[in-house]
């Protein structure tokens, strides 16, 4: 069960992704969420605050999974990297609307709070990669020490570009499978591709 507040957030998320922040009205959000327009003011105060709350909500989800992986002691550093890629790919796949919003915001945002959220989230991911890399190097699991910002860019940049280009690749391949069937294969191949790249960048040898 989702709360009334989450119901409004998720309805707004779809509209913001489709129409952008300026093109979405509170009336449209209330209609999509099937709530009285006054409920938006009650829970969020304004459309701007609702938008900021949506970004904060999704960003915290990402930070939760990264912290959970970092704290695990039952898997080694490479296995942590694998889980990060799997989790990140799953979020990009399952929250397409939100990541469409975020890609737009990274290019055009003039909201200081959104810019702050974006920066904090990026820095938390870079710090996570840095801790895993440092630990893996100390234990000899990794033999290469790539620039940490490029490691982060390799994962996020590849995921975002490939996700946006999925339909183009489906057309290029003349693939006539059901959309969901193709997407399943596509994201499986995508995550494996990223892991192969990271193995080389980190100097990880599976059977060492």
């Amino acid at each position: 069960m989702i709360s009334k507040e989450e119901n409004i957030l998720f309805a707004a998320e779809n509209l913001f992704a489709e129409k952008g922040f300026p093109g979405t009205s509170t009336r449209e959000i209330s209609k999509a969420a099937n709530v009285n327009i006054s409920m938006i003011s009650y829970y969020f105060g304004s459309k701007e605050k609702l938008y900021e709350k949506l970004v904060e909500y999704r960003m915290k989800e990402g930070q939760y999974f990264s912290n959970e992986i970092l704290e695990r002691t039952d898997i080694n550093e490479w296995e942590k990297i694998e889980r990060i890629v799997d989790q990140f790919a799953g979020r990009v796949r399952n929250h397409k609307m939100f990541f469409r919003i975020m890609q737009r915001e990274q290019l055009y945002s003039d909201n200081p709070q959104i810019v702050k959220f974006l920066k904090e989230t990026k820095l938390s991911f870079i710090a996570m990669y840095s801790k895993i890399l440092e630990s893996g190097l100390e234990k000899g699991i990794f033999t290469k020490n790539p620039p940490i910002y490029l490691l982060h860019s390799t994962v996020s940049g590849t995921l975002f570009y490939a996700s946006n280009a999925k339909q183009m690749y489906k057309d290029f391949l003349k693939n006539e499978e059901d959309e969901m069937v193709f997407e399943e294969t596509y994201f499986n191949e995508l995550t494996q591709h990223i892991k192969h790249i990271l193995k080389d960048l980190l100097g990880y040898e599976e059977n060492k």
Side-chain angles (χ1 to χ4, degrees):
M1 292 290 292
I2 63 173
S3 66
K4 290 182 180 179
E5 185 177 6
E6 287 173 324
N7 176 50
I8 296 171
L9 284 175
F10 300 157
E13 182 176 48
N14 290 330
L15 288 166
F16 288 142
E18 180 185 349
K19 298 186 172 187
F21 177 77
T24 301
S25 69
T26 51
R27 188 170 299 280
E28 288 174 308
I29 295 170
S30 67
K31 183 178 179 181
N34 196 29
V35 298
N36 189 290
I37 196 168
S38 63
M39 296 297 286
I40 294 175
S41 296
Y42 174 77
Y43 282 112
F44 305 101
S46 66
K47 186 177 77 166
E48 288 79 8
K49 292 299 181 184
L50 188 163
Y51 192 66
E52 291 171 6
K53 183 65 178 180
L54 170 64
V55 174
E56 181 183 15
Y57 180 92
R58 291 298 192 202
M59 293 295 193
K60 283 184 176 178
E61 284 182 330
Q63 290 175 337
Y64 171 78
F65 93 70
S66 62
N67 289 333
E68 183 184 40
I69 290 171
L70 260 183
E71 292 170 3
R72 290 187 61 172
T73 58
D74 60 319
I75 56 177
N76 68 26
E77 282 68 17
W78 170 249
E79 290 168 321
K80 289 182 180 182
I81 292 287
E82 287 189 302
R83 278 159 179 75
I84 289 167
V85 173
D86 289 337
Q87 291 267 20
F88 202 169
R91 285 182 56 75
V92 171
R93 178 183 176 185
N94 296 320
H95 299 300
K96 295 181 183 72
M97 297 297 100
F98 176 69
F99 283 101
R100 184 183 297 174
I101 293 169
M102 284 301 91
Q103 287 177 295
R104 187 184 298 146
E105 286 297 325
Q106 289 186 75
L107 293 173
Y108 305 114
S109 184
D110 57 1
N111 182 319
Q113 190 63 37
I114 301 294
V115 172
K116 179 172 178 280
F117 285 146
L118 284 168
K119 182 178 179 180
E120 287 176 351
T121 302
K122 288 178 182 177
L123 288 174
S124 73
F125 269 96
I126 291 171
M128 173 185 63
Y129 288 123
S130 184
K131 288 177 182 176
I132 294 173
L133 177 58
E134 183 179 347
S135 178
L137 287 167
E138 286 178 359
K139 296 175 182 177
I141 293 170
F142 304 138
T143 60
K144 296 180 183 177
N145 188 11
I148 203 67
Y149 60 90
L150 292 181
L151 196 67
H152 172 63
S153 297
T154 297
V155 177
S156 59
T158 305
L159 278 172
F160 291 153
Y161 181 87
S163 178
N164 289 335
K166 177 170 66 71
Q167 187 58 50
M168 179 189 72
Y169 290 133
K170 191 175 191 298
D171 294 341
F172 173 77
L173 295 168
K174 296 181 174 56
N175 186 291
E176 296 181 357
E177 291 178 317
D178 175 79
E179 185 68 25
M180 293 303 293
V181 173
F182 176 76
E183 184 174 278
E184 181 74 25
T185 301
Y186 185 76
F187 272 89
N188 284 339
E189 291 180 347
L190 175 57
T191 54
Q192 289 306 311
H193 175 70
I194 293 172
K195 290 173 188 178
H196 285 313
I197 293 172
L198 294 179
K199 277 185 181 180
D200 185 58
L201 284 174
L202 296 168
Y204 174 74
E205 296 180 22
E206 202 151 5
N207 298 315
K208 185 176 176 182

